[in-house]
Amino acid sequence: MDFLQMQGTAKLQQVTQLLKSLEKDLQDKNLTSAERVQTLLKLRQHGTSPSNAEPIFSQNGISILTQYGVEGETPGVRRAALRCVANALLLDAKMRQILVDTGYGNKLADMLQTDDSEDEMIASRILFYTTYDTTMDFENLVKTHGLADNVSYQLSRHAKQFPKSGKAPLSQMDELALTDTLKLIYNVSKIYTGLAASFSTSLPHILKIITRIDISHTPLDGILGGLLNALSILDLSATTGKVFENNPLFPSFDPKCNVDRLIGILDQAGVQYSPEDLEAKAVPLLYSLITIYEVAPEDIQKHMQQLLLPEEGDRSLPIGQSDTLPSRLLKLSTSHFANLKVAISELMFVLSGRDAEVLTKNIGYGFAAGFLAARGLEMPQSASETYSTDNAESLINPITGQKLAAESTDDLPPMTQEEKEREAERLFVLFERARANGLLNVENPVTQALHEGRFEELPDDADSD
């Protein structure tokens, strides 16, 4: 037997002996609290790898450890035991159903009434693991054991840790606890959609933390990323019902504060992240903004339009070429990242009142065409016509969205008749391809001009120059 085998055998023997001593103690109560904690800490250390730790990763092992975790006589015993359990559930997915089978899920939900972040972290983490491929009855945990209320209490507790001024960073344990509770909210609401509305009472606390937390260089990561994910899964339309006396999305003291904060985060994220990272992290925020706009009062909707749609200043260049947030969003809407592309296009459509003609005027024919075609919507007849903004003198190019007055002048020599004919033929072919692909549903202007007799037939000896 080589050295590694000897080590493995010794580890297995120690794990077996430690678990047996705990199992015996459940009957005889022959260990002191300090001895129980020490035994559990040793098991936790051995359980960092399943190799030669099989007694921990078994039905009997999980049952013993969970019993200590929920019925232990001191916080130290309970925490040490549940940390062993959480580690086992992380390393071996089969242990998650075994934990559920112990019947202690309700006790874990009850534990979230605590004022201690370490207890919160352990309970939330274990319950989070059981959202995957287990028979945990989360409906019972919500309706009978107050899971949603307890989670809301934890978020209200953490919200108080973010004062309006000072903004002292959370301790590492507070940060871990908040992160795990947010992940629990997200998973339960996403997997058990019928329970999502139960977590709506957490919304004011989530919004309070979002508006007060320091925004890092990478705002879609860390706690803020978890908050935004949780926000995206909650039923924001419920804010208009009887759940709240006042709508937490648009608080009376500053109705625009949450909208401004979320759009500010999106603006910074668009600068700091690559399109690939935005595809993975920004979509929940975009859909939250869509939902918020749809339930917002008219003055907030107009405010969001001003922040997210191209403004007068954006039109000194073709839309999408400036460095403003609307232009950056439009550029991203043409990327090959499908979820990001759809979310941005949907946001622009909603901001335009779900009106194809308004959308085309807001973002230009070029950006609107693909989105409308994908939704099976016809391009409005007015799409090819110039139009003016509020300033009657500001005519807009319908294709690019740029002011006509700002377009560069053509200093090239005039085209010969032969060049004009080749260009007309090329445009005719491109137009017919677009019609065949369903991108356009209007008559080819060349064909239309021919039918209307607007072509001049040249004599055979016409000068091609």
Side-chain angles (χ1 to χ4, degrees):
M1 182 180 295
D2 61 26
F3 178 71
L4 291 178
Q5 288 177 318
M6 291 175 61
Q7 273 192 323
T9 300
K11 175 183 173 181
L12 180 58
Q13 289 174 345
Q14 290 174 19
V15 169
T16 303
Q17 182 181 355
L18 291 168
L19 265 174
K20 282 184 176 179
S21 68
L22 288 173
E23 187 174 18
K24 186 174 185 299
D25 178 58
L26 288 174
Q27 301 295 327
D28 301 340
K29 306 295 182 186
N30 60 324
L31 298 177
T32 66
S33 293
E35 289 171 335
R36 291 181 187 115
V37 171
Q38 288 303 312
T39 303
L40 289 163
L41 290 176
K42 289 178 183 178
L43 275 176
R44 179 188 170 198
Q45 184 178 4
H46 287 308
T48 55
S49 170
S51 179
N52 299 301
E54 289 82 358
I56 296 175
F57 297 84
S58 68
Q59 183 174 355
N60 187 55
I62 295 297
S63 178
I64 292 170
L65 291 169
T66 306
Q67 190 169 342
Y68 277 101
V70 298
E71 297 180 356
E73 73 282 9
T74 67
V77 170
R78 293 192 296 271
R79 291 167 186 166
L82 288 179
R83 281 180 174 272
C84 289
V85 173
N87 198 53
L89 269 57
L90 170 65
L91 296 174
D92 187 345
K94 297 189 296 295
M95 298 301 104
R96 298 168 188 176
Q97 182 60 48
I98 290 176
L99 180 278
V100 173
D101 292 338
T102 66
Y104 282 121
N106 56 347
K107 297 288 187 180
L108 292 166
D110 292 338
M111 285 180 63
L112 284 171
Q113 298 176 36
T114 182
D115 285 321
D116 188 282
S117 288
E118 185 170 358
D119 291 335
E120 175 200 357
M121 181 272 291
I122 298 171
S124 288
R125 184 169 295 184
I126 292 175
L127 288 171
F128 167 76
Y129 289 143
T130 63
T131 60
Y132 294 103
D133 303 319
T134 75
T135 59
M136 179 70 84
D137 188 350
F138 278 96
E139 183 174 359
N140 178 59
L141 297 188
V142 168
K143 295 183 177 179
T144 306
H145 294 276
L147 177 62
D149 292 335
N150 294 342
V151 161
S152 181
Y153 174 74
Q154 292 304 324
L155 288 173
S156 69
R157 191 173 66 83
H158 289 300
K160 294 172 184 175
Q161 297 173 322
F162 292 87
K164 292 182 180 179
S165 59
K167 297 185 180 180
L170 295 183
S171 69
Q172 183 179 23
M173 184 53 66
D174 286 327
E175 186 171 331
L176 288 171
L178 177 55
T179 298
D180 283 329
T181 297
L182 291 169
K183 289 164 64 177
L184 176 62
I185 291 174
Y186 182 84
N187 263 32
V188 175
S189 298
K190 185 175 180 64
I191 298 171
Y192 306 92
T193 54
L195 299 177
S198 301
F199 292 91
S200 293
T201 52
S202 295
L203 180 60
H205 315 307
I206 290 174
L207 292 171
K208 180 182 286 189
I209 299 174
I210 289 175
T211 57
R212 293 186 177 183
I213 192 172
D214 285 330
I215 299 180
S216 68
H217 182 68
T218 51
L220 303 182
D221 293 311
I223 292 177
L224 187 51
L227 290 162
L228 295 172
N229 286 337
L231 178 67
S232 72
I233 206 69
L234 295 179
D235 182 10
L236 301 183
S237 62
T239 57
T240 58
K242 298 180 180 179
V243 179
F244 308 103
E245 292 184 8
N246 298 301
N247 194 326
L249 289 171
F250 318 108
S252 56
F253 64 86
D254 185 356
K256 298 177 182 177
C257 66
N258 290 314
V259 165
D260 286 343
R261 185 66 158 180
L262 293 172
I263 293 176
I265 292 169
L266 179 63
D267 191 10
Q268 182 169 332
V271 174
Q272 300 299 336
Y273 290 92
S274 67
E276 182 177 7
D277 287 334
L278 290 171
E279 165 83 355
K281 300 176 180 181
V283 172
L285 174 56
L286 289 165
Y287 278 110
S288 292
L289 288 170
I290 290 171
T291 304
I292 290 171
Y293 179 85
E294 292 185 313
V295 301
E298 185 178 356
D299 60 329
I300 302 297
Q301 288 185 334
K302 290 181 179 178
H303 181 63
M304 293 180 71
Q305 290 170 349
Q306 291 170 355
L307 295 176
L308 293 168
L309 290 174
E311 294 182 321
E312 191 79 8
D314 290 309
R315 298 181 184 275
S316 58
L317 295 169
I319 288 180
Q321 292 189 14
S322 68
D323 194 36
T324 63
L325 173 60
S327 287
R328 281 187 267 114
L329 288 174
L330 289 173
K331 280 186 283 188
L332 288 168
S333 74
T334 63
S335 70
H336 62 276
F337 296 101
N339 294 328
L340 182 65
K341 180 177 181 178
V342 169
I344 293 173
S345 297
E346 183 69 24
L347 176 62
M348 295 297 169
F349 190 50
V350 169
L351 291 168
S352 302
R354 298 187 180 275
D355 185 302
E357 184 173 356
V358 176
L359 175 71
T360 305
K361 288 184 176 180
N362 280 338
I363 67 175
Y365 176 97
F367 287 110
F371 173 75
L372 294 176
R375 291 183 65 106
L377 298 174
E378 292 187 6
M379 183 63 65
Q381 294 293 329
S382 61
S384 61
E385 301 173 1
T386 59
Y387 61 93
S388 63
T389 58
D390 293 339
N391 183 348
E393 299 178 358
S394 300
L395 291 178
I396 303 296
N397 183 322
I399 306 299
T400 65
Q402 184 181 16
K403 294 178 183 178
L404 293 180
E407 293 182 339
S408 58
T409 56
D410 187 2
D411 296 328
L412 296 174
M415 297 173 68
T416 65
Q417 188 63 38
E418 183 179 356
E419 288 172 335
K420 292 178 182 179
E421 290 174 0
R422 285 200 302 267
E423 184 65 14
E425 182 178 357
R426 185 182 71 85
L427 292 174
F428 179 87
V429 171
L430 289 175
F431 202 100
E432 287 302 305
R433 286 178 182 172
R435 278 169 48 88
N437 291 331
L439 296 178
L440 295 174
N441 193 27
V442 295
E443 187 176 2
N444 193 315
V446 179
T447 305
Q448 184 177 359
L450 183 63
H451 289 162
E452 295 175 356
R454 289 189 280 121
F455 273 116
E456 178 184 353
E457 190 168 336
L458 297 175
D460 293 339
D461 60 348
D463 188 357
S464 63
D465 296 330

